[in-house]
Amino acid sequence: MYLADEAWPDLESYFEAESLALVPLGSTEQHGPHLPEGTDHVIAEAFAREAAARTGYLCTPTVNIGVSPHHRQFPGTMWVDAPAFRDYVESFTRNLAYHGVDRVVFVNAHGGNVQHLREVGRRLRDDGVAYAVEWMWDESIPDVVEEAFEHNGPHGGPKETALIQYLHGDLVHDDRLEDAHAGGVETITPALTMQNGARTYYDAVENSENGVFGDQTDATAEKGEELFEAASDQLVQLCEWLAEREWEELAPPAPVRSE
């Protein structure tokens, strides 16, 4: 069920029967010369809608712009400041709680959002409003990703390329895959990102001239389908696990007391 497509009487019936919602979140930022800037939010929405279709749970509209200032040197990248993002996500999640949702899966496809979604989840749980958990598709299937690609890369690499080839192939510039590989960084090593134990970079362009990592030429739509099916299975299982939990299992533990 997709919230924006439904009339309120039908949503009323859902909220009377269920208490779980999927919220897709991504970004609008550079993903190299070969992928659209909407890569992350396209991926997040695809997973959330797929899980909603399989389970019958509610999928909300997608948050398309995230915390992406580290890609700002590339034309078209959009971002919001981290505090504004956290407050916005917390506010609309409280809105869902008003309607009766007390467990939320943040279906996230952008690494820059992770720590902020975790913080929002903590706030909501500590306040007894809802249990909101952040889910990142590639972290749910690390072995599948590792087996699929020799040089994966954390951003604009073959895993994201393969998914967009499968989900929205018309948006991929396949004729630029070689250039993306040649102009990016195939393997991230500590020498690129660390100096005497300190991270010496803040922006993606400081590590990769064209903003991407990994070997994009290793991507195919067939591999993208494999990734999508495997991660969708994981998301469905997460939803089912979360829906089965009693609130007492999700609430913060009681304070530790000495005997």
Side-chain angles (χ1 to χ4, degrees):
M1 174 181 282
Y2 182 63
L3 187 150
D5 289 344
E6 303 296 330
W8 71 258
D10 305 300
L11 290 166
E12 179 183 33
S13 298
Y14 177 84
F15 292 129
E16 288 174 349
E18 302 290 352
S19 60
L20 187 147
L22 295 132
V23 177
L25 306 99
S27 68
T28 300
E29 64 180 26
Q30 73 84 16
H31 274 77
H34 62 301
L35 290 179
E37 302 221 345
T39 290
D40 286 345
H41 70 247
V42 168
I43 290 172
E45 182 167 334
F47 278 119
R49 283 189 177 243
E50 178 69 11
R54 292 192 193 183
T55 62
Y57 292 124
L58 185 70
C59 175
T60 74
T62 305
V63 178
N64 290 341
I65 298 173
V67 183
S68 303
H70 49 296
H71 293 292
R72 68 187 187 277
Q73 288 87 356
F74 295 92
T77 290
M78 303 186 72
W79 70 90
V80 294
D81 291 336
F85 177 80
R86 291 193 297 267
D87 289 347
Y88 179 72
V89 174
E90 180 178 350
S91 181
F92 73 66
T93 306
R94 288 179 181 273
N95 154 212
L96 290 171
Y98 174 86
H99 293 300
V101 169
D102 66 4
R103 52 208 73 195
V104 174
V105 179
F106 292 136
V107 182
N108 179 41
H110 173 49
N113 294 341
V114 172
Q115 68 186 63
H116 308 294
L117 294 173
R118 290 284 297 169
E119 174 61 24
V120 170
R122 172 176 287 281
R123 292 182 191 176
L124 294 166
R125 188 178 79 149
D126 288 352
D127 288 351
V129 173
Y131 183 88
V133 61
E134 184 267 344
W135 179 85
M136 190 85 167
W137 72 270
D138 57 321
E139 293 181 357
S140 75
I141 52 167
D143 293 342
V144 178
V145 173
E146 184 176 348
E147 291 175 7
F149 311 110
E150 183 177 358
H151 299 293
N152 179 37
H155 182 78
K159 66 185 178 188
E160 291 181 320
T161 302
L163 271 181
I164 298 298
Q165 285 174 326
Y166 171 62
L167 295 171
H168 222 314
D170 58 309
L171 297 180
V172 181
H173 297 274
D174 288 314
D175 60 328
R176 300 177 185 173
L177 296 181
E178 292 282 356
D179 290 340
H181 182 209
V185 175
E186 184 175 81
T187 303
I188 296 180
T189 64
L192 288 171
T193 61
M194 300 289 290
Q195 179 65 44
N196 301 106
R199 291 180 176 84
T200 57
Y201 69 98
Y202 284 97
D203 297 325
V205 72
E206 295 178 87
N207 288 328
S208 172
E209 184 176 332
N210 68 2
V212 297
F213 306 85
D215 182 1
Q216 294 75 20
T217 65
D218 200 17
T220 65
E222 291 73 23
K223 290 182 179 180
E225 181 178 13
E226 179 186 5
L227 298 177
F228 185 76
E229 291 300 321
S232 292
D233 288 344
Q234 292 296 313
L235 180 54
V236 166
Q237 290 177 46
L238 173 62
C239 290
E240 292 173 343
W241 173 86
L242 188 55
E244 291 172 358
R245 304 275 76 75
E246 297 293 336
W247 175 255
E248 291 73 18
E249 298 177 71
L250 303 173
V256 175
R257 304 294 186 193
S258 62
E259 295 183 3

